Structures are given as C-alpha cells and as structure tokens.
C-alpha cells in the first residue's frame, strides 16, 4: 500500500494502489488468453459532475451541523458498496441512490442525537463502516417514504478504549478499521486475529453487523466467536449486553444484533476476545491431480481435530488463474502462540497423502519468530488474494464480469450443489450472452461441511455487464437454495440477497424479527429494505 493514500470514490481501496502499467498489461494478457474473443478496451470512470447529484433535500440541525457533509464526492462514495455491480454501475455513471448527507459522529451521544433527529423528521439512516458491503447493504436504496437519507459513517469512533489483560479482552469502538485496530492492540501483545479480505478497509462494527467471516479456515472463523458483548444505540434506547464468557440465560441479546445489518440499531462499541500473537507457524501447498480426491482430503482434515488455520482448496481453474498451477491446490497452514505446530502439519500431510495429495515443495515452518512460513505457491496465492479486488476493478473497466458468490452446505450435499451451481452459472452465461468460466475454492471448512466460494470470469458487453451479472446471480442463487446451501456464508444479506433470504428463513422467524424491529425502531428509519421491507 502507498505511504499516502487516497480512497477511491468509485472502486476498491486506494487510488494509488490501482492496477496500472505492467500489472494491467499482464492482467489483460491473462484475460485474453482465457477469453480470446473478449473486447478488453479500457474504460474510465466518468467525472463526478456527470452523475448529476442534486442538492440535499434535508439540512442537519444546528447541533449536528459540525459532523455533516454535503460534499458531492463524499455523498457518491457513500452511495454504494464494493460488489462488482457497484463498481460497474459507477463506471457506467449509474449511481441513482445518493445520500443527502454524510454524518460522522465522534461519540455515542452524537449517534443518539442523529437517531432522535431522524426518527422525528422521517429521515432514513444507513449505518456505514468501511463501505465494503458486496450485497447492497450500505446503498441508500430505501424507497420513497422518507424525507431524505443520511449515511451514518462511524469511522471517527475508532479507539480501543480498554484492555482487560486478565480476561484477554478489549473494549473497542465500532468504527475502527482493521489495520488501526491491530496497531492499537500490538503494544499489548494481542491480536483480534480476524482478517477478512476486506480487512484494510472494513470496520469492527461492520464485521459484527454482518456476521463477517475472517481469513482462517477453522477455529474462530466468524466474528460471532470473538464477540464478548455489544453496546447498541437504537431509536428506542441503548442496549448493552453483559460481559460473559458464555451463558445459558435464554436467547442471547448479542445474537439479536449480530447480523442485524443496521436494521435494529447502531453498534457503537463491543468487548471482543483477543488472542496472543502467533509465534509458531508451519505450512505447505499440496497438489491433487484429482479434485474430488482433494475434497475428500479436506473433509478428512476438517473432521480430524487438527484445526488448520488455512485449509483453502482451489479447483484446477482457480489454481491456474490465481496460483499458476495446473492442478487442484490445497494451501495448508497451522499457527500457534503457545507451541510448535510442525507435528500437526506432518499429520495433515499424511492425511493428504492418503488421498493422493503431493506437496508442491518442502514444508516450511518457523522457529518461534513472528513471521509467516509459506512456500512459493502459498505466497503466490496470498499476493493474488490481496490484489483480487483491485484486479476485479481493472477487469470491470475492460468489460469483464468478475464476481464471486459464496455459500455453505453439509458434506453430503456438496457434490450435487457444486454441479448444480456450475451448470446454472454456465447456462445463465449463455442466456445473457457472456462467455466465461466458473471456479470454486473452499474458504472455510467445518466438520459437517465446507464453505464453497465460486468465481465467475466472463467476457461481458460494455454497457450491459450489470444486467448480465444480475441474470447470472439470480440463476446461481436459485441453485444454491434448491440444493441445500445458504444464500450467504459471510457476505450478509443486504438488499441484493433479500429475495432468497426471505425464502431461506422460517416465516415465523421473519414475523418475530419484524416485531423486534417495531419495538427497537418504531419509526422504521434504520436501513430500510435490508432484512425487512421498509416500514413506509
């Protein structure tokens, strides 16, 4: 990342870190080799003036004027998330839902003031952390029943307020972005050990509100596992749960707000469970000539109790695109703050060998130093993983459809689900006139099932790529639900997944959720359209 960075208003990350020069040339060469008939002409985002953003329909009260912004660039940057369709629409000059104001509170008291004002004035409130939603969760697409819309940006509330060394926990404000959180924890010798791909640009509150999943394949994988207690401001009052390691006292109040996506309240702070920083690491990459054998090996690993930190299986196409390997590749890793992990890796490699897995190089481990141990294939994958969002933006500007969707299912359903999803995606691409490939990797694995992460790389038609992707997304979402998967494993529901989430959840649960919202948000101002229909 660059030393001084400017956030892109239309795409991923920092302007200075965009794909340019030799990297763009190589990316274009690889895309052309995979899809030789693709038109890879580079298009640029239109100037901000081209979006025709009108004046704000509302004005902040005097008490909030100091934290309010009407700047057009600021409003546009808060009008969308970071899904492919968000980026493509920005490139095409189509951002029709723009907040009237961006409000940046610096204290919980100001959050209370904002909700009081908005509830009284009929103004919709869309909570905003890092803005990395890929499901329409931060887009102010709220309907016509509101006097205006504000984007409530929590990133000014970004401090670690207290560290409890005895309990190994910390009280943290919800607006803190991943890197700043880790910088504040490092002097204490701790880490949250939660590293989603969006880590650099996403916030603790966003992780909690969306039940985000981190990088690690087993053990504590979802942010749920790391939340000790929450403090939430709702239009009806403040809710704070008790700090406890565990409890059997009825339904958990934390569980009510984890995954609520800003529809029930605004998470302002949380006690989170910390970990000592890892010192021992061991890792290897394992090649499988037979991908199905690799799947069986991963299932054996997931059910072995070895708890690998990384257990990421790439199918042959995913491995070729992102790791340069013609075979299926399993990126395998272990780590610990307390003890060497070489023995665990050795046993894991024995399990892989039972299914025909062959290490692509000698296993590597550390001697207790705080540094990573990876072989060349793992290094290639990691570098590609971190650059993927930037490369996605570059390809989107060249008329490519580059997007992912994830799910989870039980092991007994995986083969049928993978086949159905792949077939649905390929058929949908034919129907929308896009030629491409479908890939699959595992991001997380559990004893009872994997979390498959599918990728689509297709040559679209410039000006139609959003509609083309929408057709593909609808087809694969139908296939996921029909074959026992979840509509999302760690990307949340937002507005884009609503049609399938409504069918996945039990009807009585939906009624109970609506009743809870009516109590906590009686005016219906919080993130209308997410999880539930707008109240107006």
């Amino acid at each position: 990342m660059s030393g001084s960075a400017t956030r892109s208003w239309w795409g991923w990350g920092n302007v200075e870190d965009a794909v340019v020069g030799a990297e763009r040339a190589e990316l274009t060469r690889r895309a052309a080799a995979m899809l030789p008939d693709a038109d890879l002409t580079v298009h640029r985002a239109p100037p901000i003036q081209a979006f025709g953003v009108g004046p704000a329909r509302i004005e902040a009260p005097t008490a909030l004027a100091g934290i309010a912004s009407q700047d057009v660039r600021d409003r546009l940057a808060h009008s969308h998330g970071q899904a492919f369709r968000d980026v493509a629409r920005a490139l095409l000059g189509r951002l029709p839902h723009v907040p009237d104001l961006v409000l940046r509170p610096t204290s919980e008291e100001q959050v209370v003031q904002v909700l009081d004002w908005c509830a009284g004035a009929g103004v919709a409130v869309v909570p905003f952390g890092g803005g990395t939603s890929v499901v329409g969760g931060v887009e102010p697409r709220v309907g016509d029943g509101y006097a205006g819309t504000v984007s409530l940006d929590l990133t000014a509330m970004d401090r670690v307020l207290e560290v409890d060394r005895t309990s190994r926990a910390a009280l943290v404000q919800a607006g803190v972005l991943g890197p700043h959180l880790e910088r504040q924890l490092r002097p204490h010798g701790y880490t949250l050990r939660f590293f989603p791909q969006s880590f650099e640009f996403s916030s603790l509150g966003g992780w909690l509100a969306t039940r985000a999943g981190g990088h690690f394949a087993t053990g504590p994988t979802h942010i749920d596992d790391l939340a000790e207690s929450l403090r939430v401001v709702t239009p009806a009052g403040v809710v704070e749960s008790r700090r406890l390691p565990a409890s059997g006292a009825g339904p958990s109040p934390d569980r009510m707000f984890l995954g609520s996506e800003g529809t029930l309240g605004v998470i302002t702070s949380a006690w989170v469970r910390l970990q000592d920083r890892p010192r021992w690491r061991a890792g290897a990459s394992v090649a499988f000539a037979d991908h199905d054998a690799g799947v069986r090996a991963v299932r054996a690993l997931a059910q072995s109790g070895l708890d690998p930190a990384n257990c990421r299986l790439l199918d042959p196409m995913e491995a070729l695109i992102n790791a340069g390997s013609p075979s299926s590749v399993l990126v395998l890793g272990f780590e610990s703050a307390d003890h060497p992990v070489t023995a665990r890796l050795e046993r894991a490699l024995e399990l892989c060998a039972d299914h025909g897995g062959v290490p692509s190089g000698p296993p590597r481990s550390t001697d207790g130093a705080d540094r990573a141990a990876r072989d060349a294939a793992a290094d290639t994958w990691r570098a590609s993983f971190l650059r993927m969002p930037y490369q996605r933006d570059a390809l989107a500007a060249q008329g490519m459809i580059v997007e992912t969707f994830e799910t989870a299912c039980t092991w007994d359903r995986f083969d049928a689900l993978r086949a159905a999803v792949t077939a649905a995606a390929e058929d949908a691409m034919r129907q929308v006139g896009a030629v491409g490939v479908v890939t699959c990797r595992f991001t997380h694995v559990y004893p009872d099932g994997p979390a498959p992460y599918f990728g689509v790389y297709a040559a679209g038609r410039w000006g139609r790529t959003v509609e083309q992707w929408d057709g593909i997304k609808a087809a694969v979402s139908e296939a996921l639900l029909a074959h026992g998967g979840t509509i999302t494993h760690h990307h949340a529901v937002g507005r884009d997944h609503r049609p399938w989430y409504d069918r996945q959840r039990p009807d009585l649960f939906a009624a109970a959720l609506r009743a809870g919202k009516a109590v906590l948000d009686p005016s219906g101002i919080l993130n209308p359209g997410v999880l539930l229909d707008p109240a107006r």
Side-chain angles (χ1 to χ4, degrees), residues 305-343:
L306 290 171
D307 291 333
N310 202 353
C311 192
R312 200 172 292 260
L313 180 68
L314 319 181
D315 74 5
M317 182 59 70
E318 181 81 16
L320 182 63
I321 292 172
N322 291 304
S325 170
S327 305
S328 292
V329 172
L330 172 62
V331 181
L332 190 59
F334 294 84
E335 66 178 39
S336 173
D338 179 73
H339 52 265
V341 291
T342 303

mmCIF file of all heavy atoms in Angstrom, residues 305-343:
data_model
loop_
_atom_site.group_PDB
_atom_site.id
_atom_site.type_symbol
_atom_site.label_atom_id
_atom_site.label_comp_id
_atom_site.label_asym_id
_atom_site.label_seq_id
_atom_site.Cartn_x
_atom_site.Cartn_y
_atom_site.Cartn_z
ATOM 1 N N GLY A 305 -9.773 -32.824 13.822
ATOM 2 C CA GLY A 305 -9.441 -32.111 15.049
ATOM 3 C C GLY A 305 -8.101 -31.413 15.006
ATOM 4 O O GLY A 305 -7.658 -30.858 16.018
ATOM 5 N N LEU A 306 -7.457 -31.384 13.851
ATOM 6 C CA LEU A 306 -6.156 -30.714 13.735
ATOM 7 C C LEU A 306 -6.304 -29.191 13.675
ATOM 8 O O LEU A 306 -5.360 -28.468 13.974
ATOM 9 C CB LEU A 306 -5.422 -31.211 12.481
ATOM 10 C CG LEU A 306 -4.913 -32.661 12.527
ATOM 11 C CD1 LEU A 306 -4.416 -33.097 11.154
ATOM 12 C CD2 LEU A 306 -3.809 -32.802 13.566
ATOM 13 N N ASP A 307 -7.443 -28.713 13.260
ATOM 14 C CA ASP A 307 -7.758 -27.281 13.218
ATOM 15 C C ASP A 307 -6.714 -26.454 12.467
ATOM 16 O O ASP A 307 -6.060 -25.574 13.034
ATOM 17 C CB ASP A 307 -7.914 -26.721 14.641
ATOM 18 C CG ASP A 307 -9.161 -27.256 15.332
ATOM 19 O OD1 ASP A 307 -10.118 -27.600 14.625
ATOM 20 O OD2 ASP A 307 -9.154 -27.338 16.568
ATOM 21 N N PRO A 308 -6.543 -26.702 11.179
ATOM 22 C CA PRO A 308 -5.616 -25.861 10.415
ATOM 23 C C PRO A 308 -6.108 -24.422 10.335
ATOM 24 O O PRO A 308 -7.307 -24.169 10.211
ATOM 25 C CB PRO A 308 -5.600 -26.520 9.031
ATOM 26 C CG PRO A 308 -6.896 -27.262 8.948
ATOM 27 C CD PRO A 308 -7.193 -27.718 10.343
ATOM 28 N N ALA A 309 -5.182 -23.477 10.419
ATOM 29 C CA ALA A 309 -5.553 -22.072 10.267
ATOM 30 C C ALA A 309 -5.946 -21.781 8.826
ATOM 31 O O ALA A 309 -6.835 -20.977 8.566
ATOM 32 C CB ALA A 309 -4.386 -21.176 10.684
ATOM 33 N N ASN A 310 -5.272 -22.422 7.894
ATOM 34 C CA ASN A 310 -5.576 -22.264 6.479
ATOM 35 C C ASN A 310 -5.807 -23.637 5.883
ATOM 36 O O ASN A 310 -5.009 -24.559 6.102
ATOM 37 C CB ASN A 310 -4.432 -21.557 5.752
ATOM 38 C CG ASN A 310 -4.867 -20.888 4.465
ATOM 39 O OD1 ASN A 310 -6.004 -21.043 4.026
ATOM 40 N ND2 ASN A 310 -3.965 -20.139 3.846
ATOM 41 N N CYS A 311 -6.898 -23.775 5.177
ATOM 42 C CA CYS A 311 -7.222 -25.042 4.529
ATOM 43 C C CYS A 311 -8.026 -24.707 3.286
ATOM 44 O O CYS A 311 -9.206 -25.006 3.174
ATOM 45 C CB CYS A 311 -8.013 -25.932 5.488
ATOM 46 S SG CYS A 311 -8.194 -27.642 4.940
ATOM 47 N N ARG A 312 -7.366 -24.050 2.346
ATOM 48 C CA ARG A 312 -8.030 -23.416 1.201
ATOM 49 C C ARG A 312 -7.776 -24.253 -0.043
ATOM 50 O O ARG A 312 -6.674 -24.259 -0.589
ATOM 51 C CB ARG A 312 -7.479 -21.998 1.026
ATOM 52 C CG ARG A 312 -8.344 -21.060 0.234
ATOM 53 C CD ARG A 312 -7.785 -19.647 0.300
ATOM 54 N NE ARG A 312 -7.883 -19.077 1.621
ATOM 55 C CZ ARG A 312 -8.826 -18.219 2.009
ATOM 56 N NH1 ARG A 312 -9.746 -17.847 1.158
ATOM 57 N NH2 ARG A 312 -8.841 -17.744 3.227
ATOM 58 N N LEU A 313 -8.800 -24.970 -0.474
ATOM 59 C CA LEU A 313 -8.669 -25.831 -1.648
ATOM 60 C C LEU A 313 -9.122 -25.081 -2.887
ATOM 61 O O LEU A 313 -10.253 -24.596 -2.958
ATOM 62 C CB LEU A 313 -9.513 -27.104 -1.465
ATOM 63 C CG LEU A 313 -9.471 -28.099 -2.628
ATOM 64 C CD1 LEU A 313 -8.083 -28.735 -2.751
ATOM 65 C CD2 LEU A 313 -10.550 -29.168 -2.467
ATOM 66 N N LEU A 314 -8.247 -24.987 -3.893
ATOM 67 C CA LEU A 314 -8.554 -24.321 -5.154
ATOM 68 C C LEU A 314 -8.781 -25.372 -6.226
ATOM 69 O O LEU A 314 -7.962 -26.294 -6.374
ATOM 70 C CB LEU A 314 -7.402 -23.407 -5.594
ATOM 71 C CG LEU A 314 -6.697 -22.553 -4.536
ATOM 72 C CD1 LEU A 314 -5.609 -21.712 -5.199
ATOM 73 C CD2 LEU A 314 -7.685 -21.670 -3.808
ATOM 74 N N ASP A 315 -9.883 -25.250 -6.978
ATOM 75 C CA ASP A 315 -10.069 -26.193 -8.083
ATOM 76 C C ASP A 315 -9.074 -25.862 -9.193
ATOM 77 O O ASP A 315 -8.378 -24.833 -9.136
ATOM 78 C CB ASP A 315 -11.532 -26.212 -8.556
ATOM 79 C CG ASP A 315 -11.941 -24.978 -9.359
ATOM 80 O OD1 ASP A 315 -11.096 -24.115 -9.660
ATOM 81 O OD2 ASP A 315 -13.143 -24.873 -9.690
ATOM 82 N N PRO A 316 -8.928 -26.731 -10.213
ATOM 83 C CA PRO A 316 -7.865 -26.502 -11.210
ATOM 84 C C PRO A 316 -7.933 -25.137 -11.892
ATOM 85 O O PRO A 316 -6.891 -24.506 -12.109
ATOM 86 C CB PRO A 316 -8.092 -27.647 -12.209
ATOM 87 C CG PRO A 316 -8.695 -28.744 -11.391
ATOM 88 C CD PRO A 316 -9.583 -28.047 -10.409
ATOM 89 N N MET A 317 -9.135 -24.658 -12.230
ATOM 90 C CA MET A 317 -9.223 -23.367 -12.903
ATOM 91 C C MET A 317 -8.853 -22.232 -11.955
ATOM 92 O O MET A 317 -8.140 -21.297 -12.328
ATOM 93 C CB MET A 317 -10.629 -23.153 -13.463
ATOM 94 C CG MET A 317 -10.796 -21.853 -14.229
ATOM 95 S SD MET A 317 -9.673 -21.676 -15.650
ATOM 96 C CE MET A 317 -10.373 -22.902 -16.768
ATOM 97 N N GLU A 318 -9.340 -22.295 -10.708
ATOM 98 C CA GLU A 318 -8.987 -21.270 -9.716
ATOM 99 C C GLU A 318 -7.481 -21.271 -9.469
ATOM 100 O O GLU A 318 -6.844 -20.217 -9.356
ATOM 101 C CB GLU A 318 -9.740 -21.529 -8.415
ATOM 102 C CG GLU A 318 -9.485 -20.523 -7.314
ATOM 103 C CD GLU A 318 -10.299 -19.247 -7.452
ATOM 104 O OE1 GLU A 318 -11.268 -19.237 -8.213
ATOM 105 O OE2 GLU A 318 -9.938 -18.262 -6.790
ATOM 106 N N ALA A 319 -6.893 -22.472 -9.382
ATOM 107 C CA ALA A 319 -5.455 -22.581 -9.138
ATOM 108 C C ALA A 319 -4.654 -22.032 -10.316
ATOM 109 O O ALA A 319 -3.625 -21.372 -10.132
ATOM 110 C CB ALA A 319 -5.077 -24.033 -8.881
ATOM 111 N N LEU A 320 -5.142 -22.267 -11.528
ATOM 112 C CA LEU A 320 -4.435 -21.773 -12.703
ATOM 113 C C LEU A 320 -4.487 -20.256 -12.770
ATOM 114 O O LEU A 320 -3.473 -19.593 -13.033
ATOM 115 C CB LEU A 320 -5.056 -22.377 -13.968
ATOM 116 C CG LEU A 320 -4.391 -21.995 -15.293
ATOM 117 C CD1 LEU A 320 -2.962 -22.508 -15.346
ATOM 118 C CD2 LEU A 320 -5.200 -22.545 -16.465
ATOM 119 N N ILE A 321 -5.657 -19.684 -12.485
ATOM 120 C CA ILE A 321 -5.823 -18.230 -12.595
ATOM 121 C C ILE A 321 -5.053 -17.496 -11.507
ATOM 122 O O ILE A 321 -4.388 -16.489 -11.755
ATOM 123 C CB ILE A 321 -7.325 -17.859 -12.526
ATOM 124 C CG1 ILE A 321 -8.053 -18.371 -13.767
ATOM 125 C CG2 ILE A 321 -7.505 -16.345 -12.387
ATOM 126 C CD1 ILE A 321 -9.553 -18.214 -13.696
ATOM 127 N N ASN A 322 -5.100 -18.026 -10.284
ATOM 128 C CA ASN A 322 -4.587 -17.255 -9.147
ATOM 129 C C ASN A 322 -3.309 -17.803 -8.517
ATOM 130 O O ASN A 322 -2.702 -17.119 -7.695
ATOM 131 C CB ASN A 322 -5.663 -17.158 -8.063
ATOM 132 C CG ASN A 322 -6.825 -16.298 -8.500
ATOM 133 O OD1 ASN A 322 -6.643 -15.149 -8.873
ATOM 134 N ND2 ASN A 322 -8.028 -16.847 -8.478
ATOM 135 N N ALA A 323 -2.897 -19.014 -8.866
ATOM 136 C CA ALA A 323 -1.662 -19.553 -8.294
ATOM 137 C C ALA A 323 -0.741 -20.144 -9.342
ATOM 138 O O ALA A 323 0.337 -20.641 -9.014
ATOM 139 C CB ALA A 323 -1.985 -20.613 -7.227
ATOM 140 N N GLY A 324 -1.151 -20.117 -10.614
ATOM 141 C CA GLY A 324 -0.296 -20.599 -11.692
ATOM 142 C C GLY A 324 -0.082 -22.087 -11.706
ATOM 143 O O GLY A 324 0.884 -22.574 -12.300
ATOM 144 N N SER A 325 -0.985 -22.847 -11.089
ATOM 145 C CA SER A 325 -0.832 -24.303 -11.023
ATOM 146 C C SER A 325 -1.874 -24.970 -11.909
ATOM 147 O O SER A 325 -3.037 -24.567 -11.922
ATOM 148 C CB SER A 325 -0.999 -24.792 -9.580
ATOM 149 O OG SER A 325 -1.073 -26.204 -9.538
ATOM 150 N N PRO A 326 -1.506 -26.019 -12.641
ATOM 151 C CA PRO A 326 -2.482 -26.722 -13.483
ATOM 152 C C PRO A 326 -3.305 -27.752 -12.713
ATOM 153 O O PRO A 326 -4.221 -28.354 -13.270
ATOM 154 C CB PRO A 326 -1.595 -27.410 -14.527
ATOM 155 C CG PRO A 326 -0.317 -27.680 -13.802
ATOM 156 C CD PRO A 326 -0.128 -26.525 -12.850
ATOM 157 N N SER A 327 -2.979 -27.996 -11.443
ATOM 158 C CA SER A 327 -3.677 -28.991 -10.636
ATOM 159 C C SER A 327 -4.488 -28.306 -9.543
ATOM 160 O O SER A 327 -4.313 -27.114 -9.275
ATOM 161 C CB SER A 327 -2.673 -29.950 -9.981
ATOM 162 O OG SER A 327 -1.834 -30.556 -10.917
ATOM 163 N N SER A 328 -5.367 -29.059 -8.919
ATOM 164 C CA SER A 328 -6.003 -28.549 -7.713
ATOM 165 C C SER A 328 -4.937 -28.349 -6.651
ATOM 166 O O SER A 328 -4.017 -29.163 -6.522
ATOM 167 C CB SER A 328 -7.052 -29.539 -7.201
ATOM 168 O OG SER A 328 -8.139 -29.631 -8.083
ATOM 169 N N VAL A 329 -5.053 -27.267 -5.893
ATOM 170 C CA VAL A 329 -4.047 -26.932 -4.885
ATOM 171 C C VAL A 329 -4.723 -26.712 -3.545
ATOM 172 O O VAL A 329 -5.734 -25.999 -3.461
ATOM 173 C CB VAL A 329 -3.249 -25.673 -5.283
ATOM 174 C CG1 VAL A 329 -2.340 -25.224 -4.145
ATOM 175 C CG2 VAL A 329 -2.431 -25.934 -6.539
ATOM 176 N N LEU A 330 -4.166 -27.316 -2.523
ATOM 177 C CA LEU A 330 -4.606 -27.061 -1.155
ATOM 178 C C LEU A 330 -3.534 -26.230 -0.465
ATOM 179 O O LEU A 330 -2.386 -26.665 -0.330
ATOM 180 C CB LEU A 330 -4.807 -28.381 -0.402
ATOM 181 C CG LEU A 330 -5.096 -28.272 1.101
ATOM 182 C CD1 LEU A 330 -6.390 -27.517 1.353
ATOM 183 C CD2 LEU A 330 -5.136 -29.653 1.745
ATOM 184 N N VAL A 331 -3.902 -25.012 -0.069
ATOM 185 C CA VAL A 331 -2.999 -24.158 0.701
ATOM 186 C C VAL A 331 -3.279 -24.445 2.171
ATOM 187 O O VAL A 331 -4.364 -24.173 2.679
ATOM 188 C CB VAL A 331 -3.224 -22.676 0.374
ATOM 189 C CG1 VAL A 331 -2.256 -21.800 1.170
ATOM 190 C CG2 VAL A 331 -3.045 -22.432 -1.122
ATOM 191 N N LEU A 332 -2.290 -25.013 2.838
ATOM 192 C CA LEU A 332 -2.474 -25.565 4.182
ATOM 193 C C LEU A 332 -1.543 -24.863 5.153
ATOM 194 O O LEU A 332 -0.365 -24.626 4.847
ATOM 195 C CB LEU A 332 -2.154 -27.063 4.140
ATOM 196 C CG LEU A 332 -2.475 -27.937 5.337
ATOM 197 C CD1 LEU A 332 -3.959 -27.900 5.666
ATOM 198 C CD2 LEU A 332 -2.027 -29.374 5.046
ATOM 199 N N GLY A 333 -2.058 -24.498 6.308
ATOM 200 C CA GLY A 333 -1.202 -23.822 7.278
ATOM 201 C C GLY A 333 -1.682 -24.002 8.704
ATOM 202 O O GLY A 333 -2.876 -24.194 8.959
ATOM 203 N N PHE A 334 -0.728 -23.947 9.631
ATOM 204 C CA PHE A 334 -1.019 -24.036 11.059
ATOM 205 C C PHE A 334 -0.273 -22.924 11.766
ATOM 206 O O PHE A 334 0.792 -22.483 11.309
ATOM 207 C CB PHE A 334 -0.572 -25.393 11.622
ATOM 208 C CG PHE A 334 -1.351 -26.567 11.086
ATOM 209 C CD1 PHE A 334 -1.011 -27.150 9.868
ATOM 210 C CD2 PHE A 334 -2.426 -27.067 11.790
ATOM 211 C CE1 PHE A 334 -1.734 -28.220 9.364
ATOM 212 C CE2 PHE A 334 -3.163 -28.139 11.300
ATOM 213 C CZ PHE A 334 -2.808 -28.711 10.087
ATOM 214 N N GLU A 335 -0.814 -22.472 12.907
ATOM 215 C CA GLU A 335 -0.119 -21.464 13.695
ATOM 216 C C GLU A 335 -0.530 -21.566 15.153
ATOM 217 O O GLU A 335 -1.598 -22.092 15.487
ATOM 218 C CB GLU A 335 -0.398 -20.063 13.157
ATOM 219 C CG GLU A 335 -1.830 -19.603 13.293
ATOM 220 C CD GLU A 335 -2.022 -18.172 12.786
ATOM 221 O OE1 GLU A 335 -1.415 -17.814 11.764
ATOM 222 O OE2 GLU A 335 -2.772 -17.424 13.424
ATOM 223 N N SER A 336 0.339 -21.056 16.029
ATOM 224 C CA SER A 336 0.052 -21.079 17.462
ATOM 225 C C SER A 336 0.890 -20.023 18.155
ATOM 226 O O SER A 336 2.009 -19.712 17.731
ATOM 227 C CB SER A 336 0.368 -22.457 18.053
ATOM 228 O OG SER A 336 0.244 -22.436 19.467
ATOM 229 N N ALA A 337 0.340 -19.483 19.227
ATOM 230 C CA ALA A 337 1.098 -18.575 20.082
ATOM 231 C C ALA A 337 1.789 -19.318 21.209
ATOM 232 O O ALA A 337 2.608 -18.736 21.920
ATOM 233 C CB ALA A 337 0.154 -17.518 20.680
ATOM 234 N N ASP A 338 1.491 -20.607 21.354
ATOM 235 C CA ASP A 338 1.931 -21.345 22.543
ATOM 236 C C ASP A 338 2.912 -22.467 22.272
ATOM 237 O O ASP A 338 3.758 -22.764 23.104
ATOM 238 C CB ASP A 338 0.701 -21.923 23.250
ATOM 239 C CG ASP A 338 1.056 -22.734 24.479
ATOM 240 O OD1 ASP A 338 1.448 -22.109 25.493
ATOM 241 O OD2 ASP A 338 0.970 -23.980 24.422
ATOM 242 N N HIS A 339 2.853 -23.103 21.108
ATOM 243 C CA HIS A 339 3.634 -24.324 20.912
ATOM 244 C C HIS A 339 3.946 -24.536 19.431
ATOM 245 O O HIS A 339 3.235 -24.014 18.563
ATOM 246 C CB HIS A 339 2.864 -25.545 21.447
ATOM 247 C CG HIS A 339 1.473 -25.645 20.908
ATOM 248 N ND1 HIS A 339 0.385 -25.146 21.565
ATOM 249 C CD2 HIS A 339 0.997 -26.162 19.734
ATOM 250 C CE1 HIS A 339 -0.706 -25.362 20.852
ATOM 251 N NE2 HIS A 339 -0.364 -25.969 19.736
ATOM 252 N N PRO A 340 4.974 -25.315 19.135
ATOM 253 C CA PRO A 340 5.269 -25.641 17.738
ATOM 254 C C PRO A 340 4.111 -26.404 17.094
ATOM 255 O O PRO A 340 3.362 -27.118 17.767
ATOM 256 C CB PRO A 340 6.526 -26.517 17.839
ATOM 257 C CG PRO A 340 7.140 -26.158 19.146
ATOM 258 C CD PRO A 340 5.996 -25.849 20.057
ATOM 259 N N VAL A 341 3.979 -26.235 15.793
ATOM 260 C CA VAL A 341 2.854 -26.857 15.090
ATOM 261 C C VAL A 341 3.316 -27.769 13.960
ATOM 262 O O VAL A 341 2.504 -28.254 13.173
ATOM 263 C CB VAL A 341 1.905 -25.774 14.528
ATOM 264 C CG1 VAL A 341 1.181 -25.063 15.650
ATOM 265 C CG2 VAL A 341 2.659 -24.772 13.660
ATOM 266 N N THR A 342 4.615 -28.045 13.903
ATOM 267 C CA THR A 342 5.138 -28.880 12.820
ATOM 268 C C THR A 342 4.512 -30.262 12.826
ATOM 269 O O THR A 342 4.197 -30.828 11.763
ATOM 270 C CB THR A 342 6.669 -29.003 12.931
ATOM 271 O OG1 THR A 342 7.238 -27.687 12.922
ATOM 272 C CG2 THR A 342 7.235 -29.794 11.765
ATOM 273 N N ALA A 343 4.292 -30.816 14.004
ATOM 274 C CA ALA A 343 3.706 -32.153 14.086
ATOM 275 C C ALA A 343 2.299 -32.181 13.505
ATOM 276 O O ALA A 343 1.895 -33.161 12.867
ATOM 277 C CB ALA A 343 3.696 -32.629 15.539
#
